[in-house]
Amino acid sequence: MSRGQLKVSYGIGEFSKIVDISIDTLRYYEKEKLIVPERDKSNRRSYTDRDIKWLNFIKRLKKTGMPIKNIKYYAKLRYQGDETIDERLKLLYDQRHRLEADQIELQTHINFLDAKIETYHQIKHNLQKQKSIEASSN
Amino acid sequence: MSRGQLKVSYGIGEFSKIVDISIDTLRYYEKEKLIVPERDKSNRRSYTDRDIKWLNFIKRLKKTGMPIKNIKYYAKLRYQGDETIDERLKLLYDQRHRLEADQIELQTHINFLDAKIETYHQIKHNLQKQKSIEASSN
DNA sequence: TTAGATTCTGGAGTGCACTCAATGTCAAGG
DNA sequence: CCTTGACATTGAGTGCACTCCAGAATCTAA
């Protein structure tokens, strides 16, 4: 605020639409301490622009297959401030390594499927031959 | 059997060890009709060598992220015989396409993490500068 | 002012993929 | 014959990540 950024805030409904996550899920994430918004005078959740970025990051991490437990740990570090940056970096590096491993595994699965597909084509081919033999023996 | 392969059969305990899947999970898979072994005179499950191959294939599909529902459909086709080969091929191709898509997505996640890691290094760098300024002003 | 919309909380329910527990059957070995 | 061990069934329980519901409070617009 001291830097003059106009601080906009959003109610849960509006925020839900912006980040495309259901209201119930947002409240669930809050229970899990992934994102803990401020409250206004009448106890309603008040999300900020920063929360939008944070939630999009969470969505990313989720899509990389990171379980909520881990994201939660990341969130905890984040809410603790700058002195946890190294720890957060470590988490990010770990996840990156995991994804690299996933990449390799994925390739082996694709190769496997290709092999399987090939054998099926073989089987089809053999069945075809079978049929033509039957046909010629009539 | 006409081709002279010695047909060995395994009880559920032995089979469980061979394929490295718990007995409970095997029974669960049977309930879901993924793998339906014969029974002996006293109603015990009797798995074959073919079942070992089939189960290893199931494990593969599972690892590629295919849900049990889909594998179940594949299993149903398989138990129906040769005339379902085209349909099974289609399933395999679909899954292959999914994996290709996963591969691309995975790459974007990795890129994203790299970018995030980079910004963290920037932040660290800035904090460092901050500190040295503070130090020199003393 | 008042109806309707939005939000609040606590708690129950869902779907998936197992996992475990209780109770029962059966063939083989001492 | 009787115990033991592997197997059988049914049904309940677990963990994850939501998703839904009831009842109450608060906000907004006519």
Side-chain angles (χ1 to χ4, degrees):
Chain A
M1 28 172 94
S2 58
R3 312 236 181 129
Q5 74 223 350
L6 64 162
K7 179 185 145 124
V8 188
S9 74
Y10 312 93
I12 197 168
E14 198 184 355
F15 189 69
S16 162
K17 273 166 205 152
I18 292 168
V19 296
D20 193 31
I21 288 194
S22 82
I23 290 176
D24 278 320
T25 301
L26 286 172
R27 290 200 269 244
Y28 166 67
Y29 284 176
E30 185 171 345
K31 210 176 63 188
E32 292 300 317
K33 302 220 218 5
L34 294 196
I35 182 162
V36 185
E38 310 272 290
R39 300 299 183 107
D40 66 14
K41 342 81 206 166
S42 53
N43 198 36
R44 273 137 184 246
R45 289 166 180 84
S46 167
Y47 294 91
T48 67
D49 286 324
R50 219 182 150 227
D51 288 327
I52 294 174
K53 288 195 183 126
W54 173 225
L55 208 350
N56 282 328
F57 182 56
I58 289 174
K59 283 169 73 178
R60 261 304 169 165
L61 291 182
K62 278 196 62 56
K63 282 208 268 177
T64 71
M66 194 186 275
I68 282 193
K69 258 179 93 129
N70 290 41
I71 301 177
K72 184 176 179 167
Y73 178 54
Y74 189 97
K76 192 180 150 215
L77 292 174
R78 185 174 168 278
Y79 280 111
Q80 275 168 21
D82 283 345
E83 71 274 23
T84 64
I85 282 178
D86 281 332
E87 189 65 14
R88 279 184 266 165
L89 262 174
K90 188 182 169 320
L91 246 55
L92 260 23
Y93 274 119
D94 286 353
Q95 186 65 8
R96 197 197 188 288
H97 292 324
R98 249 188 300 277
L99 293 194
E100 268 168 43
D102 287 354
Q103 215 167 28
I104 290 163
E105 217 194 329
L106 201 47
Q107 189 57 57
T108 73
H109 293 328
I110 287 173
N111 294 154
F112 173 79
L113 281 179
D114 284 345
K116 195 77 188 180
I117 285 167
E118 178 53 26
T119 67
Y120 265 127
H121 281 304
Q122 281 296 330
I123 290 169
K124 276 187 72 171
H125 179 72
N126 290 345
L127 286 175
Q128 209 62 33
K129 216 165 57 181
Q130 194 78 20
K131 270 206 186 130
S132 66
I133 290 168
E134 281 167 26
S136 70
S137 75
N138 281 346
Chain B
M1 28 170 94
S2 59
R3 312 236 182 130
Q5 74 223 350
L6 65 162
K7 177 184 147 127
V8 189
S9 76
Y10 313 93
I12 197 167
E14 199 184 353
F15 188 70
S16 163
K17 271 167 206 151
I18 291 168
V19 295
D20 194 32
I21 290 196
S22 81
I23 289 177
D24 279 320
T25 301
L26 286 173
R27 291 201 266 245
Y28 166 68
Y29 284 176
E30 185 171 345
K31 208 176 66 189
E32 292 299 317
K33 303 220 218 3
L34 294 196
I35 182 164
V36 185
E38 309 272 289
R39 302 298 184 106
D40 65 14
K41 340 83 210 164
S42 53
N43 198 36
R44 269 124 189 258
R45 289 166 180 84
S46 168
Y47 296 90
T48 67
D49 286 323
R50 221 184 148 224
D51 289 327
I52 294 174
K53 289 196 182 123
W54 173 226
L55 207 355
N56 282 327
F57 181 55
I58 290 173
K59 284 168 75 179
R60 255 317 164 156
L61 292 181
K62 278 197 63 53
K63 280 207 270 179
T64 70
M66 194 187 274
I68 280 191
K69 259 181 93 129
N70 291 195
I71 301 177
K72 185 175 177 168
Y73 179 53
Y74 189 96
K76 192 181 151 215
L77 292 173
R78 184 175 170 278
Y79 279 112
Q80 275 168 19
D82 285 344
E83 70 274 23
T84 64
I85 282 178
D86 281 334
E87 188 65 15
R88 277 183 265 166
L89 261 174
K90 187 182 169 321
L91 244 58
L92 260 23
Y93 273 119
D94 286 353
Q95 187 65 8
R96 195 197 190 290
H97 292 324
R98 249 189 299 277
L99 293 194
E100 268 169 43
D102 286 354
Q103 216 167 28
I104 290 163
E105 218 195 326
L106 201 47
Q107 189 56 55
T108 73
H109 294 327
I110 287 174
N111 294 155
F112 173 79
L113 281 180
D114 284 345
K116 194 78 188 178
I117 285 167
E118 177 53 27
T119 67
Y120 264 126
H121 281 303
Q122 280 297 328
I123 291 170
K124 276 188 71 172
H125 179 72
N126 290 345
L127 286 175
Q128 210 60 33
K129 217 165 57 182
Q130 193 77 18
K131 270 204 185 132
S132 66
I133 288 166
E134 281 167 26
S136 69
S137 75
N138 279 348

